[in-house]
Amino acid sequence: MTSTPALYDKFLECSGVSTDTRRIAPDSLFVALKGASFDGNQFAEQALAAGAKYAVVDDPSVASQQPRCLLVEDGLLALQDLARHHRQTLTIPVVGLSGSNGKTTTKELIAAVLSTRFRTYATVGNLNNHIGVPLTILSIRTEGDGPAYEMAVVEMGANHQREIALLCSIAQPTHGLLTNVGKAHLEGFGGIAGVRKGKGELYDYLIETGGTVFINSRDKVLMTMYRERLKTTRSDNTFANVIFYPADEPAGAQIELLSESPVTYRDATGETVTHLPGQYNFDNMLAAMAVGYQFGVTVAEANQAIAAYNPTNNRSQVVLRGSNTVLLDAYNANPSSMAAAIRQFAAMTAPRKVVVLGDMYELGDESAAEHAALGKLIADAKFDLVLLAGKDMKYALESLPTAYYFPDKFSLHNWVMDHPMTDTHFLIKGSRGMGLESVVPFI
């Protein structure tokens, strides 16, 4: 068996790490992983032929056939242990973040702000789970070939308890924050109390290791979670390394929100217009500012970075289609993020407003009730037209007798194509599995 130190020596000879034979970089380290319907060991030879320098496998029969195969007990655990070992060689600050909504947007904003002064590495896309976080850590090099990073921003996602604790043990953040805690992944976490406990594992890790915690002082749930942890982890009920935002803003950074469509704010440096809509994105900006200020980024530098950020990842993205404006937020959805998006869209000024909404996944036994509650919220907003797609969106119809319902998105495509609209604002939102961005070309 190949030990972690021995495997690390091989890793240092490689250009990077890959778990996908479709994307093998020259001289990379291929790690064979197993899934419900695949066994990466069977692709080790293919990875080596495609340019990998070594292949990490946990099948002795595969390892015996190829001298460049490195045998380990378990491929996934080897990947995670390798990332832990590499993390311990890094001396740079690592900002870890999680939350029910807004993780990726906040990660991108933090990275944009920090990049004004530091060479910053941030999680690519949404590589934020038990595989993605190790790959993220292993991509951070501070010497040798390539850029020498001075900061890292690591996004951590979870759909069950103890997952954030695992990811913290790998990423070992020195700083961290939760964007919020809401109704996401209720099925895996076992309800909203389970979500709070699971997401709070980031606070637990930072408090126990003496890291720095950033907390939105206006978020009652986050403040309550913080106080609960102080009572159980510290006898004096104090924790020095906490920064409350916006309460702890530096002089000159006191911000006045002027508009939510898009977010426009004013501080001592003047007025800043962004590309993102909604109060929820303003909170994400405040988090990025707080992190930046902690590391010496000026107010002006932070504002410039936030103003320049323009999403292209189906999250809070504005797409123009002729005379129509599409607010595309189709990367993910849960009851909390849906409610925030609907309220923000309802508050917008537009000649005609249409919502195109898809199912919210991973709600378990709460799915029918949560979709029904969503229907009531939509009804109160009084949009000009409501289009619903997905098997569970039928529960929202109880409060929306005039809504159009489509059991799948393909019949939705046909309806939208057959009913062209102009001078209309659209909100498109649904869980990732719905893939509702496919509606945009038909608008």
Side-chain angles (χ1 to χ4, degrees):
M1 292 293 171
T2 307
S3 67
T4 298
L7 183 59
Y8 190 68
D9 288 339
K10 297 296 186 184
F11 161 74
L12 293 177
E13 298 177 23
C14 297
S15 61
V17 179
S18 174
T19 60
D20 188 343
T21 53
R22 296 169 297 182
R23 291 185 284 272
I24 296 293
D27 292 326
S28 60
L29 178 70
F30 172 73
V31 180
L33 301 178
K34 296 176 182 176
S37 58
F38 68 91
D39 182 353
N41 290 284
Q42 304 306 312
F43 301 97
E45 189 69 37
Q46 179 181 338
L48 293 169
K53 193 164 191 173
Y54 301 104
V56 178
V57 300
D58 53 19
D59 185 335
S61 65
V62 174
S64 64
Q65 298 172 13
Q66 170 56 256
R68 287 191 289 152
C69 282
L70 308 172
L71 182 63
V72 297
E73 190 72 33
D74 182 286
L76 175 59
L77 294 180
L79 175 67
Q80 294 171 343
D81 288 341
L82 181 65
R84 284 192 191 91
H85 190 95
H86 180 58
R87 172 65 184 92
Q88 291 167 5
T89 71
L90 303 175
T91 58
I92 63 174
V94 174
V95 180
L97 74 151
S98 190
S100 296
N101 310 311
K103 293 185 295 295
T104 300
T105 298
T106 304
K107 176 257 299 183
E108 296 288 339
L109 288 168
I110 292 173
V113 170
L114 292 177
S115 293
T116 62
R117 292 215 166 196
F118 307 98
R119 291 185 296 275
T120 304
Y121 188 88
T123 297
V124 176
N126 67 326
L127 289 175
N128 63 10
N129 64 3
H130 60 296
I131 297 171
V133 168
L135 292 174
T136 296
I137 295 299
L138 290 167
S139 298
I140 303 170
R141 302 290 182 109
T142 56
E143 57 185 19
D145 296 336
Y149 293 108
E150 301 169 303
M151 301 281 296
V153 186
V154 180
E155 179 182 338
M156 295 183 284
N159 57 19
H160 58 268
Q161 292 183 39
R162 301 305 301 162
E163 190 167 9
I164 293 296
L166 168 67
L167 300 181
C168 283
S169 77
I170 297 169
Q172 300 168 30
T174 56
H175 301 70
L177 64 90
L178 295 177
T179 56
N180 47 61
V181 174
K183 295 179 178 180
H185 304 293
L186 295 179
E187 185 175 23
F189 278 111
I192 188 64
V195 177
R196 289 176 59 170
K197 182 176 180 181
K199 294 295 186 181
E201 290 164 9
L202 176 59
Y203 285 174
D204 296 338
Y205 177 86
L206 290 166
I207 291 174
E208 291 167 4
T209 58
T212 298
V213 181
F214 297 89
I215 299 178
N216 185 343
S217 57
R218 301 187 300 190
D219 190 309
K220 294 180 181 179
V221 173
L222 296 182
M223 290 297 291
T224 298
M225 289 172 59
Y226 168 69
R227 294 188 188 101
E228 289 172 349
R229 274 156 177 78
L230 288 185
K231 292 179 181 178
T232 59
T233 59
R234 300 183 66 87
S235 59
D236 58 0
N237 282 353
T238 61
F239 178 56
N241 301 335
V242 61
I243 295 172
F244 297 104
Y245 65 89
D248 291 339
E249 290 170 341
Q254 286 71 33
I255 295 173
E256 177 188 2
L257 178 62
L258 302 178
S259 171
E260 293 186 16
S261 303
V263 170
T264 303
Y265 60 85
R266 180 192 296 122
D267 58 26
T269 69
E271 187 173 304
T272 299
V273 181
T274 76
H275 295 281
L276 296 171
Q279 174 68 49
Y280 51 95
N281 275 317
F282 182 53
D283 286 342
N284 297 338
M285 295 171 196
L286 291 175
M289 294 173 195
V291 175
Y293 300 156
Q294 174 68 9
F295 290 102
V297 176
T298 68
V299 173
E301 288 170 335
N303 289 343
Q304 184 176 8
I306 290 170
Y309 174 70
N310 197 356
T312 57
N313 53 10
N314 296 334
R315 293 177 170 93
S316 298
Q317 187 176 344
V318 178
V319 180
L320 300 180
R321 299 284 297 175
S323 63
N324 296 323
T325 299
V326 179
L327 301 182
L328 182 59
D329 197 4
Y331 193 87
N332 218 335
N334 57 57
S336 300
S337 66
M338 274 285 202
I342 288 168
R343 291 190 181 104
Q344 184 273 324
F345 190 55
M348 286 182 60
T349 300
R352 188 166 186 262
K353 288 188 278 191
V354 175
V355 290
V356 183
L357 306 177
D359 277 354
M360 301 177 289
Y361 288 8
E362 297 185 54
L363 297 180
D365 295 339
E366 301 297 320
S367 188
E370 290 295 345
H371 282 86
L374 180 65
K376 294 179 181 178
L377 182 63
I378 298 168
D380 291 341
K382 295 180 172 57
F383 296 116
D384 295 288
L385 180 64
V386 177
L387 307 177
L388 306 175
K391 66 180 184 64
D392 284 356
M393 271 298 175
K394 63 178 178 287
Y395 299 112
L397 292 173
E398 299 171 9
S399 303
L400 299 165
T402 62
Y404 288 84
Y405 170 69
F406 308 91
D408 57 72
K409 67 176 183 177
F410 303 106
S411 51
L412 168 63
H413 291 171
N414 291 331
W415 191 95
V416 173
M417 186 168 53
D418 292 341
H419 296 80
M421 289 172 260
T422 59
D423 300 313
T424 300
H425 277 60
F426 293 82
L427 169 65
I428 300 179
K429 189 168 179 63
S431 280
R432 181 83 301 264
M434 290 296 297
L436 283 186
E437 65 272 13
S438 63
V439 178
V440 175
F442 300 100
I443 292 175

